[in-house]
Amino acid sequence: MLHRKLLAVICMLFLPIFVFAQRKHQAKLKHKSVSAVPAANLSLSFRVVPLGVLGGIDESNLSAYMIAPVGSDNYACLDAGTLHAGIEKAIENKAFSVRGDKVLRQYIKGYFISHAHLDHISGLIINSPEDSTKNIYGLNSTLEIVKTHYFTWESWANFADDGGSPQLKKYHYSVLQPGTEIPIDNTEMHVQAFPLSHSNLTSTAFLVRNKDSYVLYLGDTGADEIEKSQNLHKLWEAVAPLVAAGKLKALMIEVSFPNEQPDKTLFGHLTPRLLMNELDVLAQLSGTTLKGLNVVVTHLKPPYKSISKIKTQLNYANKRQMNLVYPRQGKPLEF
Ligand SMILES: [Zn+2]
Ligand SMILES: [Zn+2]
């Protein structure tokens, strides 16, 4: 009995010392390591409704992501591979409580086209007869292709305000200058464009801002080492301060093929290995570990076997403990 009491007293005496020592040890560890991405702004800033998420061949599910500030119905649409099928799926999932034509005509205030490959723009072309007046934003090189190859009166009627006559003037081409931020018409958001290397084409990254929060969306891109380019390095340099300050709420980036794809058949796309190499550069430039950063993985190319391989390889290679997100068509995400 006496023994037990004595033991309890000893325990109580030494417990605070033990706890103090532990805390000191943890503080030391924390000080030593590079910090994770700071959670400076914990409130949700953006709502993203994926209308299409794959990199081929399913024409009902190709790259297109609606984005708006949380609580707003004023969306921009990042790429427009699939519109109608994605809007219907989103309504099925109760992401919207209005009819599909209202989402297309009223909620989407403008399109941002990363490059003119059909899997990023075919939804916009096919839906154009039912659409309302709005802007199509892109780099000059992208909009030139849309102007001279799609809205031509040969591939399709010219619903735009430039190019082949007569011009139906439903869409206004709005040219983005790399590195210059502009407001997105009829929304609360701003955007800045950055060129990306995508085989023979220039693709685009869009940095979307809502107040003091950002989402970075990348169209198709290859790695700098394969493309013999500096474009991703320059992009990481530009967003590194936002990552360090905890202002980058999500990074949306493609991974099209598993690691087994030979370099010569990447056609300007990323694999899990190449993505992780690129994110090492971002980690280094931002002075953070990237732990907890939302990385939305887009543009996975079928077949299913290849998609599941990509996911396994990414999850295995995620030593930085980033929050890898695999978007699903019509399922809203909030950041
Ligand atoms: Zn693509
Ligand atoms: Zn492409």
Side-chain angles (χ1 to χ4, degrees):
M1 193 63 188
L2 191 69
H3 262 111
R4 228 186 245 176
K5 266 190 184 166
L6 200 66
L7 198 69
V9 170
I10 289 169
C11 273
M12 272 161 71
L13 275 173
F14 283 95
L15 189 68
I17 296 169
F18 176 73
V19 169
F20 180 70
Q22 278 282 312
R23 284 213 184 130
K24 217 171 158 187
H25 180 65
Q26 278 169 5
K28 235 185 197 169
L29 274 179
K30 216 174 180 183
H31 194 73
K32 241 186 193 170
S33 66
V34 189
S35 68
V37 173
N41 188 351
L42 284 172
S43 61
L44 295 168
S45 299
F46 291 97
R47 184 173 198 246
V48 173
V49 184
L51 299 183
V53 301
L54 299 179
I57 52 168
D58 178 354
E59 71 270 28
S60 72
N61 194 0
L62 299 171
S63 297
Y65 298 86
M66 289 173 66
I67 182 167
V70 165
S72 167
D73 291 328
N74 301 321
Y75 288 85
C77 195
L78 304 169
D79 279 327
T82 295
L83 294 181
H84 181 80
I87 291 171
E88 291 305 313
K89 194 78 181 244
I91 291 171
E92 227 175 87
N93 289 334
K94 306 203 177 341
F96 299 118
S97 53
V98 297
R99 285 173 31 169
D101 60 328
K102 186 167 177 183
V103 176
L104 177 73
R105 295 173 58 85
Q106 290 181 34
Y107 283 17
I108 297 177
K109 305 294 189 190
Y111 300 99
F112 287 82
I113 305 301
S114 66
H115 64 298
H117 279 158
L118 281 168
D119 58 314
H120 297 257
I121 196 173
S122 58
L124 160 55
I125 296 163
I126 296 297
N127 282 272
S128 55
E130 297 302 318
D131 208 352
S132 59
T133 301
K134 57 192 72 165
N135 292 342
I136 301 176
Y137 300 86
L139 294 180
N140 189 49
S141 55
T142 304
L143 297 182
E144 274 304 313
I145 299 171
V146 179
K147 205 181 294 176
T148 56
H149 289 71
Y150 302 140
F151 287 137
T152 57
W153 287 110
E154 285 157 348
S155 302
W156 202 251
N158 184 8
F159 284 97
D161 64 347
D162 198 359
S165 305
Q167 296 151 4
L168 300 175
K169 298 190 196 299
K170 182 178 280 191
Y171 298 119
H172 170 63
Y173 291 122
S174 182
V175 178
L176 298 170
Q177 306 298 340
T180 306
E181 191 192 68
I182 59 151
I184 306 175
D185 278 3
N186 303 309
T187 76
E188 299 85 359
M189 299 175 291
H190 290 68
V191 74
Q192 201 176 331
F194 298 85
L196 298 175
S197 307
H198 177 40
S199 191
N200 62 321
L201 277 191
T202 298
S203 175
T204 317
F206 300 112
L207 180 62
V208 182
R209 178 170 73 80
N210 168 33
K211 296 189 183 120
D212 211 13
S213 298
Y214 297 80
V215 164
L216 179 65
Y217 171 86
L218 287 86
D220 295 357
T221 184
D224 279 354
E225 67 167 283
I226 307 284
E227 299 277 316
K228 310 280 173 247
S229 162
Q230 287 284 303
N231 279 335
L232 278 177
H233 196 274
K234 285 181 196 157
L235 178 64
W236 303 142
E237 271 177 351
V239 299
L242 304 179
V243 174
K247 293 177 179 176
L248 188 72
K249 309 288 273 190
L251 170 63
M252 303 176 72
I253 189 164
E254 72 129 284
V255 178
S256 295
F257 296 113
N259 288 334
E260 289 79 2
Q261 189 84 1
D263 289 358
K264 61 176 188 307
T265 52
L266 283 173
F267 307 114
H269 290 293
L270 293 172
T271 62
R273 182 184 70 82
L274 293 169
L275 171 68
M276 291 304 173
N277 288 350
E278 286 295 341
L279 292 181
D280 283 347
V281 179
L282 177 59
Q284 200 193 1
L285 289 169
S286 66
T288 74
T289 62
L290 302 186
K291 184 177 175 180
L293 179 68
N294 293 315
V295 178
V296 181
V297 185
T298 65
H299 208 269
L300 287 81
K301 277 184 183 288
Y304 173 77
K305 232 173 100 182
S306 168
I307 289 178
S308 70
K309 205 181 238 181
I310 292 171
K311 289 181 181 175
T312 306
Q313 291 175 350
L314 277 174
N315 293 342
Y316 178 74
N318 186 17
K319 308 283 188 246
R320 301 191 164 279
Q321 294 179 273
M322 296 171 291
N323 181 34
L324 300 181
V325 179
Y326 301 100
R328 288 165 60 193
Q329 187 179 39
K331 286 263 181 204
L333 302 165
E334 290 195 349
F335 303 110

